[in-house]
Each structure stands twice: as structure tokens, then as C-alpha cells.
Amino acid sequence: MSVVFTKTLPDAEVPLAIGESMRLEFGQLLLDISHNPFEWILRYSYRHKQADEHEAEHGPETVLRYVFDKSEQAVAITAMLADRAVVSRPLSPISLMADASTQVFISTPLYLAVNTGSHRMIELPTARLSDTWFGDKSAGELCYSDTTRARLDPSAVENLYFKAVTPVTIKNQSHRQLLLDRINVPVPMLQLFRMPAADKSFVTTSITVTLSETVEETRIQLGSAQEHRDAELISPARKPQKKQFLYRAIDLFLS
Amino acid sequence: MEFETLLTPGANVLVNVARAVLLMSVGWVVAQLLSRLSRRIKDNVISPHHKILLAKAIFWIVLVLFLVTALHQLGFKLGVLLGTAGVLTVALGFAAQTSASNLISGLFVLSEESFKIGDIISVGPTTGEVLSIDLLSVKLRTYDNIYVRIPNETIIKSEVKTITKFPIRRFDLVVGIAYRTNIEHARQVLLDVARDNPLCLDEPEPLIILQGFNASSIDIMFAIWSTRENFLALRNSMQEEVKTAFDRAGIEIPFPHMTFYTGADCAPLPIKLVGDTEQAQQQDKPVERNAGFSEE
């Protein structure tokens, strides 16, 4: 028996007896999970970015085997945020006027964790992410790179089922115009929620950046779980909030 | 009455030697123990490199202290020993100038911290992973698994490249395109290749520099960045992908070729072939052939 999930994630554990398999098509990821005696076999590949969804042209397949002496009879697929910060570039640069504030909505690709019982077999991104470097060439940080439409109107934000939306509030309290040509979203420090609405879209805790005249006075605050009271918490933050990180992020915002 | 007074002089010497040997044995064990204990210091308190140095220093200091005590036990006077050691040091200094030079260079290498254990360095033609940094030499393991010992004096005098010092590296690929190629088109193809390669960092952005008009091609330097872990994989994949992308886009990577020009009127070059000449001589008739780019 083979179970297929397309553009949606199973709400609960998927029972898979020995000899059974399941397929998941989510974002650019195509994942096949087979349950054999004493082992789980995972095959995954990524659809090329430019390829039409219906003419699925996939890249090379990776095969992984996970061996257990006593395996569970089910797998669980959990959505997560990326394991590194995502540097998101607006398709066209945004200038924020002096003494103005705005809220932009930035979407970042999800990760999927494949678990059986209490064992995590693998975490896979739902899209092929390219790497980028953030900061000084001798002491920066490796991040993922992505582009964003940086929508200002929440109703205009596209519901991309394999992405999570992060509301970023930027308060420019300085007396100079601010050019936002890239935004570092510290996703490992954010929580992931699923909205109860019909579309079941993914959202994260919000970020508020208050820019002042000097870097020292500039502050970044991460929102709390209270702001999504109706939503279901899907995944907690991977990393605790670090003051050091926030200062590095400020450098980016001012660049 | 003391125990020694009961023994004969010969037995006394034996007892002293036994005590000295015991002291040295205990000293060896204590030095090893303290040295190993110092290696347990956490990495966030002291770097692994300094930890090894500290362990070595503790071992030798403790051992020398026990050695001095053992010699004292044998009846040697410390003052005389130190005086002899001074003279011996001067004599050794002259006799072992190279070792002394390496020793002093070693102190500079250790204090300078240009590289640490585990780094990949290049010294002259040798590139490898640093296995240990000692007072006399630095030991490397090359990529082909050869153990190389480089004297510290050489390290101090040579240009040393620490390849793993910084987290990202740039790969410069120089590629030639034919003169008839549209440069802007070639530039776009290269940027597309960089964008589609997941190992290539988006930032720092890929750099394209026209290097000049070469004899057979327009040379372009394509500089791309990757993390140092992915550098080799990027270098391999990028060259293959550039060739494939150029082939697909109809961009020629020219090989060196030469055009023969025989003068303003471009008169054909007369060529006489030996076999034909002999035949012509037999027939009493000259043979002429036109020169061209290739002989067909």
C-alpha cells in the first residue's frame, strides 16, 4: 500500500507496516518513505526551480537507510523552520522614509523533520536553498539566501504552503532614509505556528526592529507566543535568543 | 642512630641510587599525571593549541624538579651543577646552532599563532594539515597522507599560507571566449551558472573581470565564493558546469591557433613535396601546392 500526500502534511502519524510506503510532494521536495524489515528507506530529490510543477523535472535522487533492531510501525512528518538564518532580498529595494514605520511580510521555506517513534531520522528543506555569507569575510555567518516580495499588505501575502510568513516591523526613528535591500530573518530563534483558518498557513513569531541614529541605540525584539493565541504551535525555536546575534543583525539592517 | 651510619659506604651509595631512581620514577608518574590533568581544561577556557603547550611545559618542569632532587640525593651539589650547565649550554649552543635557531623560531611560531593544530597550511610546495606544533618543528600530514616535518626556522623564513584561517574562500576561474562571442551574453551565462550552483555563495557576489584580449581569446576571470568546506566540490562542479553551459549557449572556448599570412597580396605559398619532386623530376615537370590553414 502506498499513501501519497501532495502539497499538504499529514496531521498525525502515518501508520506504515512493513512492506508499505508513502510519498510526499511538498514544495520542491519529493520524498518517498518505505518500511522494510528492520529498516526505513528514504529517497528524496528536488524539483528544479524553473520547472513547471506538472512537468516535474527532478534532480538526482538521494537514498538513505535507517536501521533499527525494533522499528515503530509509523512515521511522523513535522514542519520546522530552517536551521540557519535566511537572508531575504526584496525583488526591488525598499526605502523607508525618516521617522516612518512599516510592517513587511517575509516568507521563508520550511524544513520537514521525519520521525519514527522518538527517533528523528532526518530534517530536509522543502526547497533547494542556496548559501550566502552574512557579515565580514573573516568572521561572518553562513545563512540561506532567498528572495521575497516583501508585501506590505497582509491580505496580499501569497499562501505558499511550503513557506512560513514572518511579520517584520521596522521603525525608522532616525532622521535619514533607510534602504532595505536585504533582510536577515533569524528563523532558528523563531517559533513556528499553524493558523486555524482553512488555508492552514504557517506563521512565525514577529520581529520588531527599531532603528535609531546610532547602532548602539538600535534594537531588535522578537515577538512572543502570545501574539498567535489561536494558532497551533508546531515547532519551538531551535536556538535561544542571543544578544550577540541581534547586534549582528542590526549591522545588516543598517548596511 | 641514623640508618645510613649502620651501612657500609658501598651500601650507602646503593641506597642513594635507589632513592634517586625512586624519585625519578615518582617524578615521571607525577609529571604525566599533571600533564594529562591539564589537557582536561575545557576548550572555552584555553585553546587546544595552548593546552598542548601547557601540558608539555608542566611535564618538563615537574620532571626537571625531580631530576634536580634526585641528583642532590646522589650527592651532586646544585651550584656546581648549574655552573657546569652554563658552560655546557654555551658549548651546546655552538655545536647545535641549527637546533638552537629552530628552538627560538619555535617560540616565535608558538607565540604568533598564525595557525593552529588542525589547520591546513601551505609552506613552499608542501600543503597539509597541521598535526603538531613543537619547539623544533611543525608536523604536517599532506593530502596524499605523507608525514612531513618542517623545521621552525623554515616556517619563520618562508611564506606560510593558512588556508583554513577564514571561513569562506574565493575560486578564480579564468576562461577564454572566442572573439566573435557577445561578451554580455557570456557574462549572463556565467552568472546563471553561479546562481544555479548551490555551493556557490550568493554573497559575496560573483565577480566577472575582463582580463584582456589574448592571442586566441578574450579572457574572463570568473570569481566565485564558497565555504572552505565546499571549496573543492565547488571548484570541480563549477568548471564542468561552465563548460556545459557554454556548449549549450553556443559559446566557443577557443584553443590557441595560428594564421599564416604570406604578404599583402596574399599569394599562395609554394610547397614542394619530396616524393612529388622526385616524381616531377622524373617527368621533368614542377609541382606547386597552395598553403592553407590545414592540409587536406
Side-chain angles (χ1 to χ4, degrees), chain B:
Chain B
M1 192 176 283
E2 287 187 13
F3 173 69
E4 282 84 353
T5 55
L6 298 172
L7 299 171
T8 60
N12 255 334
V13 171
L14 278 177
V15 169
N16 284 339
V17 169
R19 279 180 177 169
V21 170
L22 187 68
L23 269 171
M24 280 308 294
S25 306
V26 172
W28 179 271
V29 173
V30 172
Q32 286 278 13
L33 199 69
L34 290 175
S35 173
R36 283 184 189 176
L37 272 177
S38 70
R39 285 175 194 248
R40 291 190 183 179
I41 301 173
K42 285 185 178 173
D43 284 353
N44 55 3
V45 179
I46 186 171
S47 71
H49 173 70
H50 285 124
K51 213 190 294 182
I52 289 169
L53 279 180
L54 181 70
K56 282 182 180 172
I58 287 174
F59 177 80
W60 286 110
I61 288 169
V62 173
L63 200 66
V64 165
L65 283 175
F66 274 87
L67 177 71
V68 169
T69 318
L71 288 172
H72 182 69
Q73 189 65 44
L74 288 171
F76 291 97
K77 289 185 177 173
L78 200 61
V80 177
L81 267 181
L82 287 175
T84 314
V87 174
L88 199 67
T89 308
V90 173
L92 277 176
F94 280 111
Q97 280 184 25
T98 311
S99 299
S101 167
N102 278 324
L103 195 74
I104 293 164
S105 301
L107 294 174
F108 284 111
V109 169
L110 290 169
S111 60
E112 205 175 37
E113 293 185 2
S114 298
F115 49 84
K116 59 183 187 307
I117 292 166
D119 272 341
I120 306 289
I121 64 167
S122 277
V123 186
T126 309
T127 301
E129 182 191 349
V130 178
L131 296 178
S132 72
I133 307 166
D134 299 324
L135 281 174
L136 290 178
S137 62
V138 171
K139 276 91 175 181
L140 301 184
R141 178 173 49 211
T142 60
Y143 289 128
D144 49 351
N145 211 27
I146 292 171
Y147 184 84
V148 180
R149 176 190 176 276
I150 301 175
N152 283 335
E153 194 183 357
T154 311
I155 297 273
I156 288 287
K157 285 180 179 171
S158 315
E159 179 187 280
V160 179
K161 289 180 189 171
T162 309
I163 292 164
T164 48
K165 187 80 172 175
F166 298 129
I168 55 173
R169 285 183 70 186
R170 196 177 84 174
F171 170 52
D172 296 343
L173 173 66
V174 177
V175 60
I177 55 169
Y179 273 91
R180 65 168 178 271
T181 307
N182 182 322
I183 296 173
E184 189 49 44
H185 182 214
R187 183 200 299 270
Q188 196 51 52
V189 169
L190 288 173
L191 289 176
D192 288 347
V193 169
R195 188 199 58 207
D196 293 340
N197 189 317
L199 303 176
C200 178
L201 294 177
D202 287 13
E203 284 188 29
E205 287 179 353
L207 188 67
I208 292 177
I209 298 171
L210 286 179
Q211 287 205 313
F213 300 101
N214 210 336
S216 309
S217 61
I218 301 171
D219 285 351
I220 297 176
M221 190 180 83
F222 182 39
I224 40 179
W225 292 82
S226 77
T227 57
R228 67 177 183 228
E229 295 83 9
N230 291 334
F231 183 79
L232 276 179
L234 177 85
R235 197 168 77 171
N236 281 334
S237 61
M238 192 51 77
Q239 298 193 67
E240 189 182 327
E241 285 166 17
V242 165
K243 172 74 171 63
T244 309
F246 273 11
D247 287 350
R248 199 181 299 129
I251 297 171
E252 182 192 349
I253 302 175
F255 52 87
H257 53 264
M258 194 175 283
T259 305
F260 287 104
Y261 179 57
T262 55
D265 54 356
C266 216
L269 274 176
I271 295 176
K272 288 182 181 176
L273 299 180
V274 176
D276 288 351
T277 310
E278 286 170 358
Q279 201 178 355
Q281 278 173 349
Q282 284 173 2
Q283 294 174 0
D284 198 26
K285 191 180 174 184
V287 176
E288 279 193 3
R289 294 279 171 93
N290 286 342
F293 294 112
S294 60
E295 198 175 313
E296 292 176 350

Side-chain angles (χ1 to χ4, degrees), chain A residues 50 87 89 128-134 137-140 142 145-146 182, chain B residues 165-168 195-205 225 227 230:
Chain A
Q50 305 300 332
V87 175
R89 271 184 180 278
R128 270 185 86 189
L129 296 167
S130 60
D131 293 339
T132 190
W133 193 251
F134 162 52
K137 287 189 182 91
S138 56
L142 189 64
S145 169
D146 199 14
R182 54 185 184 151
Chain B
K165 187 80 172 175
F166 298 129
I168 55 173
R195 188 199 58 207
D196 293 340
N197 189 317
L199 303 176
C200 178
L201 294 177
D202 287 13
E203 284 188 29
E205 287 179 353
W225 292 82
T227 57
N230 291 334

Side-chain angles (χ1 to χ4, degrees), chain A:
Chain A
M1 191 190 87
S2 183
V3 192
V4 179
F5 294 91
T6 306
K7 294 185 182 180
T8 183
L9 293 177
D11 291 327
E13 282 192 331
V14 182
L16 283 181
I18 289 172
E20 291 183 338
S21 62
M22 69 167 278
R23 166 168 281 204
L24 179 70
E25 291 177 36
F26 200 78
Q28 291 175 13
L29 175 69
L30 175 67
L31 172 67
D32 286 310
I33 303 172
S34 310
H35 191 189
N36 288 3
F38 305 111
E39 68 174 349
W40 291 90
I41 298 179
L42 270 61
R43 292 184 175 83
Y44 68 90
S45 60
Y46 287 93
R47 197 175 62 234
H48 292 307
K49 232 174 193 175
Q50 305 300 332
D52 186 88
E53 228 170 285
H54 301 291
E55 299 168 10
E57 189 187 325
H58 283 79
E61 187 181 67
T62 305
V63 182
L64 299 167
R65 297 170 64 189
Y66 296 89
V67 177
F68 297 86
D69 56 350
K70 189 182 170 188
S71 62
E72 301 285 334
Q73 299 295 308
V75 285
I77 313 283
T78 319
M80 302 178 79
L81 288 167
D83 57 347
R84 287 190 230 140
V86 178
V87 175
S88 204
R89 271 184 180 278
L91 290 175
S92 44
I94 302 167
S95 288
L96 184 60
M97 307 311 284
D99 293 321
S101 67
T102 187
Q103 189 174 42
V104 292
F105 295 88
I106 295 165
S107 54
T108 52
L110 291 171
Y111 260 58
L112 296 182
V114 184
N115 303 310
T116 174
S118 59
H119 300 283
R120 172 152 300 171
M121 290 192 278
I122 197 171
E123 289 177 12
L124 292 168
T126 55
R128 270 185 86 189
L129 296 167
S130 60
D131 293 339
T132 190
W133 193 251
F134 162 52
D136 188 72
K137 287 189 182 91
S138 56
E141 183 191 5
L142 189 64
C143 300
Y144 292 123
S145 169
D146 199 14
T147 51
T148 178
R149 292 185 189 280
R151 302 278 190 196
L152 303 178
D153 179 7
S155 62
V157 179
E158 297 166 72
N159 177 23
L160 289 172
Y161 63 94
F162 63 97
K163 287 192 165 190
V165 176
T166 304
V168 180
T169 304
I170 303 165
K171 297 175 182 172
N172 184 10
Q173 294 179 350
S174 69
H175 297 294
R176 60 199 162 109
Q177 191 174 310
L178 174 75
L179 178 70
L180 285 174
D181 66 339
R182 54 185 184 151
I183 297 168
N184 180 10
V185 187
V187 287
M189 295 177 197
L190 304 180
Q191 294 174 300
L192 179 67
F193 299 90
R194 194 162 198 180
M195 299 304 280
D199 59 3
K200 290 195 169 182
S201 57
F202 291 97
V203 290
T204 73
T205 36
S206 64
I207 303 171
T208 304
V209 186
T210 310
L211 296 152
S212 303
E213 292 296 341
T214 62
V215 175
E216 290 75 23
E217 293 170 13
T218 304
R219 291 285 174 266
I220 297 181
Q221 284 181 310
L222 304 184
S224 67
Q226 302 301 315
E227 61 193 6
H228 299 300
R229 278 181 192 165
D230 300 333
E232 179 193 358
L233 175 67
I234 298 290
S235 171
R238 285 176 183 260
K239 292 180 185 171
Q241 185 177 332
K242 282 183 186 170
K243 199 176 179 184
Q244 186 192 4
F245 173 83
L246 298 184
Y247 279 112
R248 289 214 304 271
I250 289 165
D251 288 346
L252 176 72
F253 273 95
L254 291 178
S255 67

